[in-house]
Structures are given as C-alpha cells and as structure tokens.
Amino acid sequence: MSFTFRAGWCRLKLSVGGEVAVYRATGIEDNFFADLVRAVAHIASGGAVATVLWGDEPGGVFLDFGRSGPDHAAIAVHELGLPEWLTPADPPWIPVRGNAVVAARIPVVTFLTAFMDAFADVRESAPEGPIPGWCGGVPKPEFEAIRHEIHRRRSA
C-alpha cells in the first residue's frame, strides 16, 4: 500500500496491491487534506470508522477507513452516488455512496506508515503553516498522534 500527495488540486494517488488510482480534491472550498489527516489519526487512535469526502469538481470519492480487528485497517473508496456535491440541486445534496472502487484490509502499521511516508514531503514544505498550493495547513496534533501510534506498534 502507498499514498502519494501532490499540491494544487490535492491529488491523492492510492496504490493497494497492484491497483493504482488517482483522485483529485478541490482546494477551493475546504481543506480536504486536513480532513484526511484527521481521519487517519482517528483510526490510529483506535477509532472504529472514519470517512472523508475527497471532492472533485464535479464528483469525487468517499475515503472510508476502519478497524478490522485489533491489528488491521480496512480501506474502502466509493464513488459519490450524487456527484454534484459542490452545487447542490433541489432537493439539496446528501452524502450517498456509489460503487466501491477500492476495498482492502491491511495491517494497521502498514496503513499508518504508508500514509506518513507520503505525508513527509508535504510536512517538509509546510511544517506549521499553509501547504503551498492548498487551502489550509498541516494539522500537527493529528500528525503527531499517527507518528506516536506507529512508534508504539513497532516497539511492542
């Protein structure tokens, strides 16, 4: 498993096994990257499920993370069932999931390490402030929580 982050439109390249997919998120309205860091930190702290809208224009995906037993993470990526999240129609948009495009179960430490390895480049370019080309900054407490959990698991 690996993640790759790029600036600008918050591109997320997700590789699980032999499958590779690239998803874009707009940087205009929300800080999707910070939402993603918070979701991963929630799983690192033992949370059962965390979800992020990685919203493109139009469309996007839901990134769903969960715990699958004490030592594994579950990852599911779903298309948006109603892709017009940015410009809600009448009636207003609701977060309906479409088809699952990724489903994987991997060791938690592998998941967290892959995320942190990809995060290192972004963190170096913006240790405390805004990420160049993105809306918002690095959520440092969540980053530290993920790093702490990796260290705890490797030391056990």
Side-chain angles (χ1 to χ4, degrees), residues 11-147:
R11 285 187 298 142
L12 165 63
K13 179 179 176 184
L14 179 62
S15 173
V16 179
E19 301 294 317
V20 177
V22 177
Y23 307 106
R24 288 181 351 142
T26 178
I28 295 171
E29 296 285 329
D30 298 298
N31 189 347
F32 289 108
F33 185 75
D35 292 345
L36 180 60
V37 174
R38 288 184 191 102
V40 173
H42 181 71
I43 298 306
S45 69
V49 176
T51 296
V52 177
L53 168 62
W54 198 259
D56 202 351
E57 292 183 13
V61 293
F62 286 106
L63 304 171
D64 297 315
F65 307 114
R67 292 304 283 265
S68 182
D71 297 321
H72 284 81
I75 300 164
V77 178
H78 290 88
E79 297 170 336
L80 272 62
L82 301 172
E84 297 298 329
W85 68 272
L86 192 61
T87 54
D90 187 19
W93 180 82
I94 56 174
V96 174
R97 284 164 175 70
N99 293 326
V101 292
V102 173
R105 182 178 182 268
I106 61 170
V108 158
V109 72
T110 302
F111 169 65
L112 299 177
T113 301
F115 182 82
M116 291 302 284
D117 287 349
F119 186 64
D121 292 340
V122 175
R123 185 177 54 94
E124 288 171 11
S125 67
E128 305 264 348
I131 299 167
W134 296 12
C135 148
V138 176
K140 193 169 182 172
E142 289 84 354
F143 165 76
E144 293 301 329
I146 297 167
R147 184 164 53 181

